[in-house]
Amino acid sequence: MELTVDFSFSAAHRLPRHPGACRRMHGHNYLLRVTLEGEPSPESGMLRDFEEVRALVHEHLLSRVDHTCLNDLLENPTAENVLLFAWSALSGALPELAELRLWENPSYAVAMRRPALPKAG
């Protein structure tokens, strides 16, 4: 089963290795989709409480990136590198993390997914 929660944040960056306009400082209103995968708890009937996921993502990631200059965190903050940073920040707090998808704008997104878990029994 999958559980998905969407988040938004705003941040500025410049891409020092990019030959075009993105070399200059600019900003994005990012959309981050966090997907967890696993089996619901027999006790609660939930994989995770949505609000717990929201709080953990805010604590471990959004508090670090929202309304910041991403170059203060990453030397070359491409969408791909921001996604790797997000995965690193969240995977310890959310062991069920299965996929992250990050949109820089409505047309451009990057995604990464952990390898599929083996099926039980």
Side-chain angles (χ1 to χ4, degrees):
M1 182 172 290
E2 291 185 349
L3 177 152
T4 299
V5 183
D6 288 347
F7 301 87
S8 60
F9 67 95
S10 298
H13 73 154
R14 58 181 294 280
L15 302 180
R17 300 179 193 164
H18 192 278
C22 292
R23 188 176 188 90
R24 295 189 298 270
M25 186 66 71
H26 63 285
H28 295 284
N29 293 315
Y30 291 92
L31 172 67
L32 176 69
R33 178 162 292 152
V34 175
T35 301
L36 309 182
E37 187 175 67
E39 295 303 319
S41 160
E43 290 178 24
S44 69
M46 293 186 231
L47 176 59
R48 276 278 185 138
D49 181 276
F50 288 116
E51 289 304 316
E52 179 185 17
V53 174
R54 186 162 301 288
L56 287 168
V57 171
H58 184 270
E59 176 186 349
H60 293 276
L61 179 65
L62 296 183
S63 64
R64 298 168 69 187
V65 298
D66 190 31
H67 285 80
T68 66
C69 177
L70 296 173
N71 294 82
D72 293 342
L73 299 170
L74 300 164
E75 187 272 326
N76 187 32
T78 61
E80 294 86 347
N81 286 336
V82 173
L83 191 64
L84 289 168
F85 178 84
W87 189 278
S88 177
L90 295 174
S91 60
L94 295 168
E96 311 92 341
L97 185 60
E99 181 178 88
L100 290 181
R101 188 171 299 266
L102 179 70
W103 283 265
E104 279 192 342
N105 64 45
S107 300
Y108 301 142
V110 294
M112 65 183 294
R113 185 165 186 81
R114 77 160 183 240
L117 299 175
K119 298 285 184 200

